[in-house]
Amino acid sequence: MTAMVKAEGVHKSFGPTHVLKGVDLEVAPREVFCVVGPSGSGKSTFLRCINHLEKINAGRLYVDGHLVGYRQHGNKLHELKDKEVAAQRRDIGMVFQRFNLFPHMTALENVMEAPVQVKRESKATARERAMRLLDRVGLADKAGGYPTQLSGGQQQRVAIARALAMEPKLMLFDEPTSALDPELVGEVLDVMRDLAESGMTMLVVTHEMGFAREVGDALVFMDDGAVVESGHPRDVLTNPQHQRTKTFLSKVL
C-alpha cells in the first residue's frame, strides 16, 4: 500500500536557521497521525512543506506516491509550475491555527468559494455540498452568518468544512485548537473525531494530548527540527523512551 505521506530526509532552513534536520516519517492511508513537541521544534513548518507552502532544501516529500512540488528526471529535481503545484494542493486540505475565513462572506459562501473558483463547479452543486458539510460540523443553522457573528470554535468548524469542500484525500491540521478559548476546544475536536471515524487521513500538529491518545493511530515527538521518538500514541505518552520526550511530557500532561 502506498503511504499517503512519506518524508525522506527532509531539511528546511530559513536563512541561517536550520528548522528541519532530516525528517523521516510515513503516514498510512486512513491513519490519524499526530505530531507533538515544543514551540519552535519545526512541526508547523513540516506541515507547510507537505503542500509546498514552504519549499524544502533537501530530501523528498511524497503525497499519495507523488513527489510534492517537483518532478524528477534521473537524479535531478525540476520544480513544478505554479499551476501544477496548485493542482497538487487541491487534494490536500489544510486547517490553520487562525481560521483565515473571508470576513465579507457568509459561512456558506466561505465553504462554496473554492469548489466554484478552483474546480469551476456550478453554484448549485457547491451550495448543496456546502450545506451538507455545515450540517456535518453542526452549523447548518449558521450558514448565513458572517465570521464576526461566529465564535472562534464555530469559525474553526467552518474552516474545516471549507477544507472538506474540495474533497481532499489528506487533511492537515496545524494546532487547530490553539487559538480557541478552552470551552470551545471540545466542539472542534468532536468534528475531528468524526472525520477520523469516517476514514479521512489526517496529519495533526496538536497540543491536545487527550485527543492524540484517544484518536491517534501514530504519534511522533519532534524537537529541534528532528523526530526524537515515534510510536503508538498511548505508548509514547504513557511510557516515553527518550529523556527529551519525558521532560516535555512532564510539563504538558
Side-chain angles (χ1 to χ4, degrees):
M1 194 187 340
T2 304
M4 183 57 78
V5 178
K6 187 174 186 181
E8 297 177 344
V10 170
H11 287 260
K12 173 66 185 172
S13 296
F14 294 104
T17 310
H18 199 173
V19 180
L20 298 176
K21 302 173 181 174
V23 173
D24 294 298
L25 58 78
E26 250 180 67
V27 182
R30 303 176 71 86
E31 193 168 51
V32 179
F33 193 103
C34 297
V35 183
V36 303
S39 294
S41 57
K43 309 182 301 292
S44 295
T45 298
F46 177 68
L47 217 57
R48 291 172 67 81
C49 289
I50 292 170
N51 59 6
H52 208 58
L53 286 173
E54 299 291 354
K55 297 176 188 179
I56 64 177
N57 300 114
R60 300 278 190 279
L61 259 174
Y62 300 88
V63 170
D64 201 18
H66 300 285
L67 198 56
V68 173
Y70 299 92
R71 175 182 303 112
Q72 187 160 346
H73 288 300
N75 292 329
K76 279 206 161 160
L77 289 183
H78 300 270
E79 194 164 355
L80 296 179
K81 296 185 173 73
D82 289 349
K83 200 172 171 182
E84 294 168 303
V85 172
Q88 284 188 335
R89 279 199 196 117
R90 282 182 205 178
D91 291 330
I92 306 170
M94 184 147 182
V95 179
F96 299 87
Q97 292 177 34
R98 299 279 164 198
F99 326 119
N100 296 354
L101 297 176
F102 295 116
H104 61 289
M105 291 183 182
T106 63
L108 180 66
E109 288 165 344
N110 264 285
V111 178
M112 287 173 59
E113 179 72 0
V116 171
Q117 296 300 330
V118 179
K119 284 188 166 177
R120 301 280 179 244
E121 247 175 39
S122 75
K123 285 197 171 173
T125 303
R127 180 184 300 275
E128 190 185 323
R129 185 189 306 108
M131 279 307 301
R132 217 167 46 237
L133 288 169
L134 286 172
D135 186 44
R136 183 175 179 182
V137 300
L139 290 173
D141 60 331
K142 301 288 185 187
Y146 288 89
T148 53
Q149 299 168 318
L150 304 175
S151 71
Q154 289 169 334
Q155 289 185 61
Q156 193 60 296
R157 286 187 280 154
V158 173
I160 293 172
R162 179 179 63 179
L164 291 172
M166 289 295 283
E167 301 181 307
K169 52 190 168 190
L170 168 67
M171 284 284 282
L172 308 176
F173 291 88
D174 187 8
E175 297 186 23
T177 57
S178 65
L180 300 178
D181 293 332
E183 71 270 20
L184 301 176
V185 167
E187 62 191 49
V188 173
L189 294 182
D190 284 345
V191 169
M192 291 171 66
R193 247 183 224 102
D194 170 62
L195 260 185
E197 282 166 15
S198 75
M200 174 62 76
T201 310
M202 297 161 63
L203 187 54
V204 186
V205 170
T206 186
H207 291 301
E208 302 294 335
M209 301 301 162
F211 174 85
R213 188 188 290 110
E214 279 170 58
V215 184
D217 300 301
L219 179 143
V220 300
F221 169 68
M222 276 182 75
D223 188 37
D224 194 27
V227 173
V228 174
E229 190 162 341
S230 61
H232 190 278
R234 284 194 193 92
D235 297 338
V236 177
L237 296 175
T238 54
N239 187 25
Q241 300 302 302
H242 197 284
Q243 188 53 49
R244 183 68 192 90
T245 320
K246 289 177 187 173
T247 306
F248 172 75
L249 292 175
S250 71
K251 291 173 183 164
V252 297
L253 287 178

